[in-house]
Amino acid sequence: MILQAHKITLKCNNKQATYFAKACGVARQAYNWALDEWTKEYQAGGKPNEMALRKKLNSIKREQFPWMLEVTKNAPQMAIMQLGEAFKNFFAKRANYPRFRKKWIDDRFTLTNDQFLVKDSRIRIPHLGWVRMRESLRFIGKIISATISRAANKWFVSITVEVAQGTIAAVNENQVAVGIDLGLSTFVTLSTGEKMPGPKPLKTLLCRVRRLSRSLSRKHKGSNNRKKAQMKLAKLHHRIANRRCDAIHQATTEIINKFDVIGIEDLNVKGMVKNHKLSRSICDMGFYEFRRQLSYKAALKGKRIVVADRWFPSSKICCCCGHRMESLSLSTREWKCPCCGNFLDRDINAAINLEQLAVSSTVTACGASSNGQWLQQPL
Ligand SMILES: [Zn+2]
């Protein structure tokens, strides 16, 4: 069994948005209160723990924080439990000392599965009732928790589901936004979980290129044999280019037809960091060709491409809870988020982060946003 999270945009009205903001405020306040208490107790020689702090908050909130009663009790409780997790990670040297949550940056609260209900494309929240979601839950399995968060003035719910391995979502045709991660091990990974391996027969053709180039270098300059060999080599290069181009055409057309908003990363980083080997130039060319085709097809069909700037750490952010890893080695294909405990596939996680960036950039404005930019013209 693995945990999978599906982040869905909420279509909430003003009353619901106000409630969410309030619940986030309560969660933030409880978290910061507990962090403060924890530090003080520890400095006084005590041994603080999250369970005691939750009990303590419960006993004083009626008098000291009466507004906490206006939202689900999960908001403060889960926040303090998350602080406990943060300290666990700190003591295990996986993370820094927990920091205070900030408004706008850490706006989120979590509900346990006994506190909400998901039905089709609606979610029922205590004190509030049904809230509409932009799509229905993608995964089938036992629902574990839901985290409601705000980004760029939009509200999202991330529902964590325990699913059997190998049942990661198929492509949802109604989905309008997608994120794309380009890589060496898998050429194209979509935020829907779909992976496109890229053109395969390249390897055998490349061997022939090498053999031909060697034999070419042995031929006398100006000889007929040399001309013949040159022609052969040129044809082979052409074939390789065609084959690669076909695969890329297929992939880009499929993506453009299916999705309206497409998040993709800046290629400079990848090109420099990821490829050290022989395949470097070939891969680079593939990435640029992929982007070039995607851009002009998007322009033709009126679709939008949002390019994350080169500092956007798409691989290092947990797509479920937003936790940011300090470092993540290139060989790590799967990792467990120390904050929320979800298992993440490196490429899919990066693709989901790019999708979320694309969605929030679309919401923010037309033109530039803080962490994404429109690609106005085909490259
Ligand atoms: Zn996480």
Side-chain angles (χ1 to χ4, degrees), residues 318 320-323 337 339-342:
C318 166
C320 309
C321 71
H323 178 76
C337 172
C339 185
C340 66
N342 280 309

Side-chain angles (χ1 to χ4, degrees), residues 69-260:
L69 303 172
E70 290 170 28
V71 299
T72 164
K73 63 177 190 224
N74 262 183
Q77 292 279 309
M78 293 300 285
I80 297 176
M81 280 174 73
Q82 285 159 358
L83 178 72
E85 283 296 310
F87 268 111
K88 230 185 248 169
N89 285 326
F90 168 67
F91 291 128
K93 294 190 164 52
R94 284 189 296 257
N96 293 330
Y97 196 83
R99 275 178 297 196
F100 289 110
R101 283 192 181 173
K102 287 187 184 133
K103 194 175 180 179
W104 297 107
I105 295 167
D106 304 299
D107 286 346
R108 58 178 182 271
F109 68 97
T110 302
L111 299 165
T112 48
N113 59 6
D114 57 328
Q115 290 291 312
F116 68 95
L117 212 71
V118 177
K119 206 177 171 196
D120 302 324
S121 51
R122 295 186 305 166
I123 179 167
R124 197 183 147 82
I125 288 161
H127 298 248
L128 193 62
W130 291 101
V131 181
R132 290 192 299 150
M133 306 191 293
R134 209 187 60 187
E135 53 181 315
S136 49
L137 188 59
R138 194 190 291 157
F139 304 115
I140 298 164
K142 188 187 172 204
I143 292 176
I144 305 294
S145 66
T147 295
I148 290 168
S149 64
R150 167 158 61 185
N153 245 337
K154 249 198 155 183
W155 289 97
F156 302 88
V157 62
S158 179
I159 303 171
T160 305
V161 183
E162 200 178 57
V163 291
Q165 216 137 8
T167 54
I168 291 176
V171 178
N172 179 352
E173 300 282 338
N174 298 326
Q175 213 162 19
V176 288
V178 74
I180 303 172
D181 180 71
L182 297 176
L184 261 186
S185 52
T186 307
F187 184 58
V188 175
T189 304
L190 302 185
S191 53
T192 52
E194 196 183 355
K195 295 194 173 198
M196 303 173 175
K200 269 215 178 102
L202 219 60
K203 227 176 182 176
T204 48
L205 289 179
L206 281 176
C207 284
R208 274 159 71 186
V209 166
R210 236 171 289 143
R211 217 168 46 227
L212 259 176
S213 332
R214 269 203 302 272
S215 85
L216 180 68
S217 66
R218 284 196 298 268
K219 307 251 180 326
H220 288 295
K221 274 188 184 164
S223 70
N224 267 345
N225 274 344
R226 192 182 164 91
K227 264 183 208 153
K228 265 188 211 160
Q230 264 170 339
M231 190 60 82
K232 247 187 184 171
L233 189 62
K235 268 187 187 162
L236 199 53
H237 273 303
H238 188 67
R239 253 180 81 190
I240 291 173
N242 271 352
R243 189 148 323 170
R244 191 168 51 222
C245 221
D246 280 352
I248 295 172
H249 266 298
Q250 231 169 26
T252 49
T253 302
E254 203 185 320
I255 290 166
I256 291 292
N257 285 341
K258 262 183 200 162
F259 304 101
D260 301 312

